[in-house]
Every structure is written in C-alpha cells, then in structure tokens.
Amino acid sequence: MKIFTSKQELSGYLDRLKQEGNKIGFVPTMGALHQGHLSLIEIARQHSDVVVCSIFVNPTQFNDPRDLERYPRPLDADTAKLEDAECDILFLPSTFEMYSQPEAWYINLGYIENILEGEFRPGHYQGVTQIVKKLFDVVKPDKAFFGQKDFQQVKVIGKLVEVFDLKVEIVMCPILREEDGLAMSSRNIHLSESERIESLALSKALLLTKENYQSKTLQELKNDAVNYLENSAGLKLEYFEISNSKTLLPAISKEEEGLVALVAARVGATRLIDNIIIK
Ligand code: AMP
C-alpha cells in the first residue's frame, strides 16, 4: 500500500494511473477503522481498479470540541488493517494540508442539512461537504463508497454532487453490525460495559419497527419505538423518525416508495446513530 500525505503528490500519482485506464474507487474515513470501514474497502475493490482510502479527522464537521478531541486515532493499527484489506493507496493529510488558510464555506444543501442529524449537529453537513469536496478534488474518483450507517450523509453527498455537477458515482454500502445488533462505529470504543448493553436499545427499536411494519400504522410504529427508547435505561433519545428514504422527510403514508427508520441517542457521553431500511 502506498501512503501519501501531500495532495499534489497523490493527485499526480493518480493522474498517471487514470491515464493508463484505471478506474479509481474512493473510501473517505476518519480512521479508527472497524469491519464496517473494511467492508467499504472490499466493495470498492470489487468496483474499481485502484482503491484509495483517506483517513482524516475533519475538524470542521465537529460541532462539539470535546468530541473532536477524544476521537480515537489509532494510526498504526489502521494502516495494518488497510494493508490486510489490500487497499492500494492511503491518503493521510495533515490538518494544514487540507486547510492551509482560513476559508469560508457555504453551499446551499437545502432543508436536508437542517433536519434529523442537522437539527442536533448544526453546521455538521457544511463541514462534511467541505472536506468531501476537497478530497474529491484531489482524488477525482470514478466511484466513492459511503456507508448506509450515515444514511443522511449519503443524501447530503448526493446533493453536493448535484450542486457541483461532479462526475463521481456515489455507492451506498450496507451497515455492518456486531453479533448482538449494535451498528459498528468508531465511537463504540468509548462505551463502558454497561453502556455497551444499554446501546442495544437503538438497533432493537429499529428491528421492532421493521418487524411490526405490516401490523401497525406509521404513527403506532413511531410511538412504540419512542416509548421503548425513552424508557430504556441509560439512554437519552435525540430523535426517532420514520422517513421517506428519498427525501428524508417524515413519512406520511405507508404507500411511499421507500421508508427508512432513523435514530440518534446519547448513551452516557457517547452519541450513537443507526437506521434501518423498512422498505
Ligand atoms: P467515519 O470514519 O465514521 O467517517 O466513516 C467512514 C465511512 O464508513 C462512512 O461512509 C460511514 O458511513 C462508513 N461506516 C461507518 N460505520 C459503518 C458500519 N457499521 N457499516 C458500514 N459502513 C460504515
């Protein structure tokens, strides 16, 4: 695996590979890699000739400075995992490399940046689109792979691609879970033993919603999940919503084409999100 820290060197190297006809697949991450990330690398390998993974803990998408500070950064372990996963290129820029001068960033993402995650993390998706655009400009991938784990993020990236008319195909990859159902996340490392158990309420509420989908109304499904989550020990619910999977607006009817249930909650000091595609 080749490792680059310079934008210019990476883009020069990739330009040559592209001229030789290689298709580039890109997996942006913030590191602390787990099987979920590695599944994205695997899918990228199936769809591309050359796989580029980036690890960059992007400061502009953190609205809570403590969250940024305590974000795990196990770089040696990450590098070894990417080697094992046969990733071709790792891009590891410094903060200065990505943000060498202060810059204002605003793109009109529309309502999608203010609902669900956006309501609880103001500015988060401006930061996400800022860094993804910068990384896309360097890598210029044919395809970029994002996890369904961050369902709203995939929609937001879709909007970024639309606004700038970018020539990249966005591929959404399934959520990888621990055996007991907890969605894998770099933040799970912060959970104490008891919080780890309490955190199962998120995936359980989502599964119950999907299981009861045929027999209950949307309102009943939502009420049941909210009651369950609000009565779960150790958990502070931020939102639970059943949304139209295209618009992410709250679903009004079961007849809508695609439905997704999304949840966010705090377990102790750790904020977790999860979702399930209902239909
Ligand atoms: P992050 O490092 O958290 O920014 O995540 C990098 C990419 O990995 C994003 O596209 C995430 O959606 C994806 N990802 C995170 N957790 C999972 C998971 N459990 N299963 C699949 N993909 C994931």
Side-chain angles (χ1 to χ4, degrees), residues 27-40 54 56 61 71 145-151 153-154 171 173-178 182-188:
V27 181
T29 81
M30 297 204 299
L33 303 179
H34 50 66
Q35 279 304 322
H37 296 111
L38 301 177
S39 73
L40 265 56
S54 63
F56 181 68
Q61 72 188 69
Y71 203 85
F145 300 82
F146 291 86
Q148 182 205 319
K149 165 81 184 351
D150 299 276
F151 194 92
Q153 174 170 275
V154 180
V171 181
C173 308
I175 303 176
L176 255 76
R177 298 179 178 280
E178 304 289 352
L182 178 68
M184 290 181 184
S185 163
S186 305
R187 291 187 170 87
N188 293 351

Side-chain angles (χ1 to χ4, degrees), residues 244-257:
N244 179 303
S245 47
K246 208 164 185 183
T247 64
L248 277 195
L249 293 169
I252 297 165
S253 145
K254 279 185 163 182
E255 304 312 312
E256 291 178 40
E257 203 177 300

Side-chain angles (χ1 to χ4, degrees), residues 191-223:
L191 298 169
S192 69
E193 218 171 296
S194 58
E195 288 169 349
R196 174 68 185 73
I197 294 166
E198 289 158 2
S199 67
L200 289 177
L202 276 81
S203 53
K204 279 191 186 150
L206 293 170
L207 258 182
L208 267 173
T209 307
K210 185 162 179 158
E211 276 167 18
N212 293 333
Y213 174 69
Q214 297 296 347
S215 58
K216 301 200 175 189
T217 65
L218 284 179
Q219 196 56 55
E220 285 167 343
L221 291 166
K222 190 172 159 179
N223 290 347

